[in-house]
Amino acid sequence: MSGPRIRQAHSTIPQPNRRELTAAIALTALSLGGLGRPAAFAQAPERIVVAGGVITEVIYALGLQDRVVGVDSTSQYPAQALRDKANVGYVRALSAEGVLSLKPSLIMVVDGAGPPDAVSLLKESGVKIVTIDDGQTPEGVVAKIAAIGAALGAAEPAGRLAAETKARFEELSALRAAITQKRRILFVLALQNGRALVGGRNSSADAIIRLAGAVNVADTIEGYKPMTEESIAAAQPEIVVMMRRGAGDHAIKPDDLFALPAFARTPAASERRLIQMDGLYLLGFGPRTPMAARDLMAAIYPEAAIPPLKTAAAP
Amino acid sequence: MTSPALATLIAGRRRAGLVTIVGFALACLLLAVVAVGQGAIAIAPSRIAEILLAKLSGDAGLLEARDVLVVLNIRLPRVLLGLLVGAGLAVSGALMQGLFRNPLADPGLVGVSSGAALAAATTIVLGDRFLAGTMMKLPFAALPLGAFCGGLVTTLALYLIATRGGRTSVATMLLAGVALGALASALTGLLAFISDDRQLRDLTFWSLGSLGGASWTKLSVVAPIILPILMLMPFLARGLNGLMLGEAEAYHLGIPVQRIKALAILLVALAVGASVAAAGLIGFVGIVVPHLIRLSVGPDHRLLLPLSALGGAMLLVSADIVARLIVVPAELPIGIVTAAIGAPFFLWLLLRRTSLIDV
């Protein structure tokens, strides 16, 4: 691309005069000086405060984390985000002065960050605020990545990541199309005194179950809600999905779960089918989501030998 | 004791009381100044003074920089709101305790806070669904207005239930308050049940209280409610002192018992409604500050009410300093801090005393 332009320059201006030469040297010096920082984005915002784990995840995926000075407490992936950056608190309970104390030049929040009073104070402060739509569909995830890239002046690498993610979703959709007999899944967010808090319709759990080519048996419930024992027994889930919470006491063992009266008579219990996955990976709805959905699919349909996504890098 | 000696003694007492009030007021002022100077962003005291002077003199020249915004639009309204809400809550507690002649009485006990909380929960959970148009126009006003109305409606219901033939029965009111409070909590629970994830978390954070949402708009709503209450307070002191003897006795002393009761209830409803509306649920201040004051200066309402107001203001502003400095750049809900600072101090004070009941 630069080749023809140089040739043209030579043809029209055979003898560069002194002023042009000085300007060229100065420009070269300037661009060399900019090499310390990512030269391509030299004029882009340098101090970013992020409220919303998925934004942090995308920024790290784009390798732009050096420009981030603060993240919120939901920014748990990658793990070093909360280790390396200041923690501005929970995404819906931000402190206006706390955020401003990091001297941000750009504040990126997911829609629903708050409280509204703090956000309006931040807007008054004159710092640029970008709100990212937190969609939980493949289109939503792709749009999210593109929007984050656009806000960072990194549209090109973000566009690449978005395109890769889109391709992975398409590949996933092809895998999904091959599933003829959809299994019935119950997502259990938590067990409170033996009562199950399940993921119903319009929850992130519901979205990932659909992406994995399965049926959510709790879709008569809206959001994350407790489900009665009888309804669980009547829903006849073939598989129970839960979040993995490290080793310790929090890990649920299949024997414990299926000993509960609500679960004892379900098909899931008779086959001892409990899938446990990392919660953020499973429900984060960022660039890793196609892989998470594929992994869930592989766990739900082990006999189908679901292949890994071809375009997928290691998560 | 001869009568001139008694007169001297009373005059001495009164002077001592006045000195205490002035001392408290000065301490409160000092604390407010310190609070304006503290925050996540370090701003030199001289710069703060400069900003405040420029604001007072209407010099708009330097009102550009970020630290100006922080001092004028974040900290100053926040400290003022803390003073007002703290004073309002503590005075409400003192009034309730005087009215019920029960040191355990608290606006939370008679359902006023629960009613305000129910209304706030309604705006959080159902606001988007039913008030879509209004919420767009008044996104920041809907919650405080809702909470305020909730507190008032509960109090009105309480008053109507407990008043028969022009007489308000404090015992009926207490029982009805417990019932209304339980009903409001149940309905709040129902709303929590039908809320989605985000709304549920908003409810949780709101119920822990915060001064983080302070703004001049909010102050302009809260101040005209709480300031007059603080002004009216002295007129209730004598009546509440008389009520300590018992209602019939107070009546025969010539105290307008019914009027005192009605006024106290109205003031509590307004103060609590406004506080809850502006800062969420902040427990502990209303019940403990009047006790602290009573433990140190005795039960005379002429001292108790103003000192409670000042003490409540100081407790809340101190708690807020901690809330916004301890986990910078994040901030803690203030309800956690008031309880964490106040409760051990209160226990220590109780343990120092030999008798626990002579309030």
Side-chain angles (χ1 to χ4, degrees), chain A residues 52-54 56-57 71-82 280 288:
Chain A
V54 73
T56 306
E57 182 176 340
V71 296
D72 75 310
S73 61
T74 66
S75 298
Q76 307 214 353
Y77 182 88
Q80 65 261 33
L82 272 171
L280 280 163
R288 298 185 299 158

Side-chain angles (χ1 to χ4, degrees), chain B:
Chain B
M1 201 184 288
T2 58
S3 144
L6 188 65
T8 324
L9 183 70
I10 290 171
R13 278 257 176 94
R14 194 165 286 172
R15 204 165 37 243
L18 205 63
V19 167
T20 319
I21 292 178
V22 171
F24 259 66
L26 286 178
C28 197
L29 191 67
L30 189 70
L31 186 69
V33 170
V34 171
V36 175
Q38 297 301 313
I41 297 177
I43 303 174
S46 58
R47 174 73 178 140
I48 290 174
E50 191 187 352
I51 292 168
L52 292 181
L53 285 175
K55 177 70 187 171
L56 286 177
S57 62
D59 175 6
L62 86 170
L63 302 182
E64 291 275 318
R66 193 169 296 171
D67 54 356
V68 176
L69 173 98
V70 168
V71 172
L72 292 183
N73 288 9
I74 298 183
R75 279 192 207 165
L76 203 55
R78 187 170 182 149
V79 171
L80 292 176
L81 188 70
L83 292 172
L84 281 176
V85 168
L89 288 174
V91 165
S92 303
L95 287 176
M96 279 273 165
Q97 290 166 18
L99 188 66
F100 287 112
R101 277 168 286 142
N102 183 335
L104 291 177
D106 165 82
L109 189 72
V110 290
V112 181
S113 316
S114 315
L118 171 61
T122 312
T123 33
I124 289 176
V125 178
L126 300 180
D128 292 339
R129 246 173 268 179
F130 298 121
L131 293 171
T134 328
M135 292 288 276
M136 286 302 154
K137 276 176 229 145
L138 302 162
F140 312 122
L143 182 62
L145 275 178
F148 185 67
C149 296
L152 272 185
V153 168
T154 318
T155 315
L156 196 66
L158 211 56
Y159 189 75
L160 292 178
I161 291 170
T163 307
R164 300 256 166 79
R167 277 201 64 227
T168 307
S169 156
V170 167
T172 311
M173 194 167 146
L174 184 64
L175 291 173
V178 171
L180 282 181
L183 183 63
S185 304
L187 292 174
T188 308
L190 182 67
L191 286 169
F193 179 78
I194 63 165
S195 65
D196 66 26
D197 261 24
R198 284 178 172 179
Q199 294 164 342
L200 191 60
R201 286 177 191 230
D202 281 352
L203 269 180
T204 311
F205 276 98
W206 184 83
S207 71
L208 291 171
S210 171
L211 294 175
S215 64
W216 290 107
T217 326
K218 212 172 247 191
L219 266 180
S220 68
V221 176
V222 174
I225 298 170
I226 294 185
L227 280 179
I229 294 172
L230 300 178
M231 302 289 151
L232 281 174
M233 216 166 45
F235 299 106
L236 281 170
R238 199 179 137 264
L240 288 174
N241 279 349
L243 268 180
M244 286 200 294
L245 299 168
E247 263 183 57
E249 290 80 353
Y251 181 75
H252 289 299
L253 278 174
I255 291 166
V257 174
Q258 185 57 29
R259 221 186 303 157
I260 295 280
K261 279 195 285 193
L263 186 58
I265 291 163
L266 178 71
L267 294 190
V268 167
L270 289 170
V272 173
S275 305
V276 170
L281 285 181
I282 301 177
F284 197 77
V285 178
I287 190 155
V288 159
V289 171
H291 279 285
L292 288 177
I293 303 298
R294 216 180 280 113
L295 285 172
S296 31
V297 303
D300 182 353
H301 284 86
R302 283 172 302 182
L303 268 183
L304 183 61
L305 293 180
L307 288 184
S308 290
L310 290 166
M314 285 197 278
L315 174 62
L316 209 60
V317 170
S318 327
D320 190 46
I321 296 179
V322 176
R324 56 204 167 97
L325 285 182
I326 199 165
V327 288
V328 155
E331 85 182 38
L332 277 183
I334 196 167
I336 296 174
V337 185
T338 50
I341 296 179
F345 180 61
F346 185 52
L347 279 176
W348 171 75
L349 216 77
L350 282 177
L351 289 173
R352 267 189 356 152
R353 292 176 65 91
T354 43
S355 163
L356 297 181
I357 323 169
D358 58 339
V359 281

Side-chain angles (χ1 to χ4, degrees), chain A residues 112-228:
Chain A
D117 294 308
V119 174
S120 71
L121 279 172
L122 289 174
K123 283 183 181 145
E124 267 177 56
S125 77
V127 181
K128 193 176 166 209
I129 297 193
V130 174
T131 305
I132 303 293
D133 194 30
D134 197 10
Q136 299 191 330
T137 58
E139 300 75 38
V141 172
V142 169
K144 206 184 295 185
I145 297 170
I148 294 167
L152 293 171
E156 204 180 308
R160 262 199 306 279
L161 182 62
E164 279 170 25
T165 309
K166 187 158 182 270
R168 284 172 198 149
F169 272 122
E170 277 158 9
E171 207 184 327
L172 181 76
S173 131
L175 293 176
R176 201 164 49 233
I179 296 164
T180 47
Q181 196 75 29
K182 288 186 174 183
R183 294 237 156 89
R184 299 166 57 76
I185 310 292
L186 181 68
F187 180 86
V188 178
L189 184 69
L191 288 169
Q192 296 165 336
N193 301 323
R195 287 195 64 190
L197 196 64
V198 306
R201 185 163 22 97
N202 291 331
S203 67
S204 47
D206 184 73
I208 197 82
I209 289 171
R210 284 165 193 275
L211 282 177
V215 174
N216 181 8
V217 297
D219 66 358
T220 51
I221 292 173
E222 175 88 21
Y224 291 99
K225 291 276 153 56
M227 193 173 183
T228 63

Side-chain angles (χ1 to χ4, degrees), chain A:
Chain A
M1 184 181 159
S2 57
R5 197 175 287 167
I6 288 171
R7 230 176 294 132
Q8 197 186 14
H10 274 290
S11 64
T12 50
I13 311 166
Q15 286 278 302
N17 65 32
R18 213 189 189 112
R19 234 169 84 199
E20 277 168 352
L21 205 62
T22 322
I25 291 169
L27 273 177
T28 317
L30 275 178
S31 59
L32 279 175
L35 276 180
R37 290 169 290 163
F41 320 118
Q43 79 277 36
E46 291 290 348
R47 296 182 62 84
I48 305 166
V49 171
V50 176
V54 73
I55 303 178
T56 306
E57 182 176 340
V58 170
I59 292 179
Y60 271 78
L62 295 173
L64 300 175
Q65 61 270 26
D66 289 348
R67 291 153 63 184
V68 176
V69 289
V71 296
D72 75 310
S73 61
T74 66
S75 298
Q76 307 214 353
Y77 182 88
Q80 65 261 33
L82 272 171
R83 273 201 302 272
D84 298 348
K85 315 292 182 188
N87 180 351
V88 296
Y90 182 62
V91 60
R92 289 180 77 72
L94 302 171
S95 147
E97 187 174 344
V99 170
L100 290 178
S101 73
L102 299 172
K103 300 188 185 68
S105 49
L106 174 66
I107 301 169
M108 296 181 77
V109 298
V110 286
D111 57 344
D117 294 308
V119 174
S120 71
L121 279 172
L122 289 174
K123 283 183 181 145
E124 267 177 56
S125 77
V127 181
K128 193 176 166 209
I129 297 193
V130 174
T131 305
I132 303 293
D133 194 30
D134 197 10
Q136 299 191 330
T137 58
E139 300 75 38
V141 172
V142 169
K144 206 184 295 185
I145 297 170
I148 294 167
L152 293 171
E156 204 180 308
R160 262 199 306 279
L161 182 62
E164 279 170 25
T165 309
K166 187 158 182 270
R168 284 172 198 149
F169 272 122
E170 277 158 9
E171 207 184 327
L172 181 76
S173 131
L175 293 176
R176 201 164 49 233
I179 296 164
T180 47
Q181 196 75 29
K182 288 186 174 183
R183 294 237 156 89
R184 299 166 57 76
I185 310 292
L186 181 68
F187 180 86
V188 178
L189 184 69
L191 288 169
Q192 296 165 336
N193 301 323
R195 287 195 64 190
L197 196 64
V198 306
R201 185 163 22 97
N202 291 331
S203 67
S204 47
D206 184 73
I208 197 82
I209 289 171
R210 284 165 193 275
L211 282 177
V215 174
N216 181 8
V217 297
D219 66 358
T220 51
I221 292 173
E222 175 88 21
Y224 291 99
K225 291 276 153 56
M227 193 173 183
T228 63
E229 304 188 334
E230 289 176 28
S231 305
I232 292 174
Q236 293 289 301
E238 295 169 85
I239 300 170
V240 174
V241 177
M242 294 186 74
M243 303 203 296
R244 195 192 304 120
R245 294 169 204 265
D249 297 335
H250 294 293
I252 304 276
K253 290 178 192 66
D255 287 347
D256 298 339
L257 179 76
F258 294 126
L260 296 172
F263 294 93
R265 292 296 177 83
T266 59
S270 47
E271 292 174 38
R272 285 280 180 276
R273 296 209 55 191
L274 168 65
I275 298 172
Q276 286 177 290
M277 281 174 69
D278 180 81
L280 280 163
Y281 181 51
L282 195 62
L283 305 177
F285 284 89
R288 298 185 299 158
T289 294
M291 282 79 89
R294 179 262 152 206
D295 291 355
L296 181 61
M297 190 189 283
I300 293 173
Y301 304 103
E303 73 288 347
I306 308 284
L309 298 184
K310 287 191 219 64
T311 45

